[in-house]
Amino acid sequence: MVDVSGLPEGTVSLGDDIFVIDTMLAGYPGVVSAYLILTERPCLVEVGTAGSARTLHRAITALGLAPEDLATIVVTHIHLDHAGGTGDMAALFPNAEVVVHERGARHLADPGRLMRSAAMVWGDRLETLFGRMSPTEAARIRSVAETGEIDLGGGRRLVSHYAPGHAKHHMGLVDTATGDLYVGDALGVYTPLTGDLRPATPPPDFDMDACLRTLRLFGDIDAQRLMFSHFGAVDTVAETIDRSEAELRLWVETVREARGTDQDLDHAVAMVRDTVVSRYGRLPADASKESAQVLDVLSGPESNVSGIVHWLDRLAREQAEAKKAAEEA
């Protein structure tokens, strides 16, 4: 039995030997959740940023694990708010196998290209928000493809499912003992303080059709709870998946409408803020406004609209190329 009386703030038992840990991205609460499954073979799902490693180490050791006890570290995808601390955590927990989708494995071993790409997107905010991703020893990385399994001990497993749409290197994870589904960013960003759910559609990988296929896959899994990386557990599964699809379609159609008026990106962002984001609830007075601002940077109108526009442009090019090929045939 784990003594939960002395746990760090932001570490909470969810039952079934699962603990949610607030990774305190850039020092702010309520932005990124990590989950420790405290079974015979303990497993950590998500690691947050490089700056989150100390927070996670403190929480995990407070839950009674020695550094050599953690068996597995798994990340749903390699974006820096989810996987930026992988190398640091691997160093702190030297026996842990690191599991990632095969499309992201090389970037954990050699994060140079990933960091250069992130620097182009985030500029001066890169160091403040994410820090620097350290390499993970290649021999400790296990990549999975369409599906895979992670042994939690005692017959309990996490089963991975390839889940693109948000990113090409994204996967969901199902706990065979509880039915919990770790969704990463595939369903978007859930705000527990207001109950709002907004999509996460960043460039360059956002793909509407792939997102919808992933939502159908998650619906077919018939999960008992949805474990959001942003932020926390939700037990209204079918309703939340339906809301995720409805919100995604609303954002995309709003951007499509804005683009149809031949206006620029700023106009599309403003239109989304006015007609979509304005629907969401206000945070309680005692909530962290800084945390809300960070979430808005990570998955707010600017990032989401940019990703949707990128997808619409790619779709238009593909359609034009297909039409030209058909005419020449």
Side-chain angles (χ1 to χ4, degrees):
M1 181 68 70
V2 176
D3 179 11
V4 298
S5 60
L7 294 182
E9 186 175 357
T11 301
V12 178
S13 172
L14 299 179
D16 299 308
D17 300 314
I18 303 167
F19 293 83
V20 60
I21 304 171
D22 190 331
T23 69
M24 296 296 292
L25 182 145
Y28 300 119
V31 180
V32 179
S33 301
Y35 297 88
L36 181 66
I37 307 173
L38 200 56
T39 49
E40 291 178 14
R41 291 181 51 79
C43 175
L44 180 69
V45 179
E46 308 287 52
V47 299
T49 68
S52 300
R54 291 182 181 178
T55 298
L56 287 173
H57 181 268
R58 188 162 53 248
I60 292 169
T61 54
L63 286 165
L65 291 187
E68 62 272 16
D69 293 337
L70 188 65
T72 312
I73 295 168
V74 55
V75 292
T76 60
H77 60 300
I78 62 167
H79 288 165
L80 294 179
D81 51 331
H82 298 254
T86 306
D88 299 279
M89 290 297 291
L92 289 169
F93 297 91
N95 292 339
E97 179 182 58
V98 176
V99 181
V100 63
H101 188 264
E102 61 183 4
R103 285 178 175 259
R106 65 189 178 96
H107 295 290
L108 296 188
D110 181 7
R113 181 179 175 183
L114 180 63
M115 291 305 301
R116 288 191 294 273
S117 177
M120 293 176 63
V121 173
W122 299 105
D124 294 341
R125 294 180 294 187
L126 178 65
E127 289 287 345
T128 302
L129 288 175
F130 307 113
R132 307 292 301 184
M133 178 187 273
S134 300
T136 301
E137 185 182 355
R140 294 178 59 187
I141 299 172
R142 176 163 64 93
S143 62
V144 295
E146 202 69 23
T147 61
E149 291 190 356
I150 298 160
D151 181 15
L152 301 177
R156 185 171 175 177
R157 294 167 292 126
L158 282 182
V159 179
S160 69
H161 297 269
Y162 184 43
H166 172 78
K168 294 178 180 178
H169 40 77
H170 196 291
M171 59 185 184
L173 304 154
V174 181
D175 187 328
T176 60
T178 66
D180 292 326
L181 172 58
Y182 295 84
V183 300
D185 282 351
L187 294 184
V189 173
Y190 174 72
T191 305
L193 294 176
T194 63
D196 292 315
L197 178 64
R198 69 175 69 185
T201 61
D205 286 354
F206 167 67
D207 185 305
M208 173 76 158
D209 297 326
C211 274
L212 293 174
R213 288 194 297 271
T214 290
L215 291 179
R216 288 194 291 272
L217 168 67
F218 283 5
D220 290 343
I221 286 171
D222 194 25
Q224 297 304 301
R225 283 187 299 191
L226 302 171
M227 313 298 255
F228 279 86
S229 299
H230 311 285
F231 182 88
V234 175
D235 57 13
T236 53
V237 175
E239 174 189 336
T240 301
I241 293 174
D242 287 346
R243 285 177 58 203
S244 176
E245 179 175 347
E247 287 293 321
L248 178 63
R249 290 186 182 279
L250 177 60
W251 280 67
V252 169
E253 288 310 309
T254 303
V255 174
R256 199 191 301 269
E257 180 182 346
R259 295 275 285 175
T261 63
D262 294 325
Q263 298 293 328
D264 59 15
L265 183 65
D266 289 341
H267 173 76
V269 170
M271 190 167 172
V272 165
R273 284 197 181 277
D274 291 343
T275 64
V276 180
V277 177
S278 61
R279 300 158 45 248
Y280 299 145
R282 291 184 177 275
L283 290 172
D286 58 349
S288 170
K289 302 299 187 293
E290 294 84 359
S291 295
Q293 291 168 359
V294 169
L295 269 175
D296 202 51
V297 169
L298 293 178
S299 189
E302 287 81 3
S303 174
N304 279 356
V305 170
S306 179
I308 293 169
V309 167
H310 189 274
W311 173 72
L312 288 171
D313 288 345
R314 185 171 73 245
L315 194 64
R317 287 194 302 271
E318 291 172 354
Q319 291 171 343
E321 290 169 0
K323 181 179 179 181
K324 181 178 180 182
E327 291 172 345
E328 294 175 348

